[in-house]
Amino acid sequence: MSQGRGSARHSTVITALLVCLLVYVQNVQSATYTVGDSAGWSFNMANWPKGKRFRAGDTLVFNYDSTAHNVVAVNRGSYSSCTAPAGSKLYNSGMDQIKLVKGQNFFICSSVGHCQSGMKIAISAM
């Protein structure tokens, strides 16, 4: 019987190691991007995502003056119309970190006139 218990412990250890390995691999594959690079989250952001390859799980870091700006995660319609519907996820720390989901990710600044002045980005994550 002790041989059976040893096999169970061995299986548990192997399973735990595999889980740790999967978590490690997932973290290694994700990337962190600072929106707007050194300029931070600002106006005229439409071209910033160009040439970058985003994946689900990557993190966007939004650095900005929290007394003047914010970040709102919105849908395509709200992105196009520059509106932040009730219930939208609002970030306002000035140092927000947002994980991308697979597919389209849309972000705007909801301060008056800012989105209309290009303070918005659309990110497609694979």
Side-chain angles (χ1 to χ4, degrees):
M1 287 238 165
S2 66
Q3 186 179 22
R5 279 189 235 143
S7 295
R9 278 189 221 147
H10 188 256
S11 291
T12 302
V13 170
I14 289 174
T15 301
L17 288 173
L18 287 174
V19 168
C20 290
L21 181 62
L22 288 173
V23 169
Y24 174 76
V25 168
Q26 183 179 4
N27 287 336
V28 168
Q29 290 179 346
S30 64
T32 300
Y33 296 91
T34 300
V35 176
D37 301 314
S38 61
W41 176 230
S42 188
F43 299 101
N44 302 312
M45 298 298 303
N47 290 324
W48 177 81
K50 291 186 178 165
K52 296 173 180 68
R53 187 174 177 155
F54 299 98
R55 295 180 183 271
D58 286 352
T59 300
L60 296 183
V61 177
F62 291 82
N63 293 318
Y64 57 92
D65 177 356
S66 63
T67 63
H69 306 295
N70 60 36
V71 180
V72 185
V74 296
N75 61 27
R76 181 185 305 272
S78 296
Y79 174 83
S80 297
S81 65
C82 285
T83 58
S88 297
K89 179 63 178 165
L90 171 70
Y91 301 88
N92 56 10
S93 74
M95 301 174 294
D96 306 311
Q97 296 188 19
I98 304 172
K99 281 202 182 288
L100 295 174
V101 297
K102 186 173 185 169
Q104 292 292 317
N105 295 258
F106 299 97
F107 304 97
I108 67 171
C109 176
S110 67
S111 295
V112 175
H114 291 198
C115 178
Q116 294 83 347
S117 296
M119 200 165 183
K120 64 181 188 173
I121 57 170
I123 305 287
S124 181
M126 298 174 30

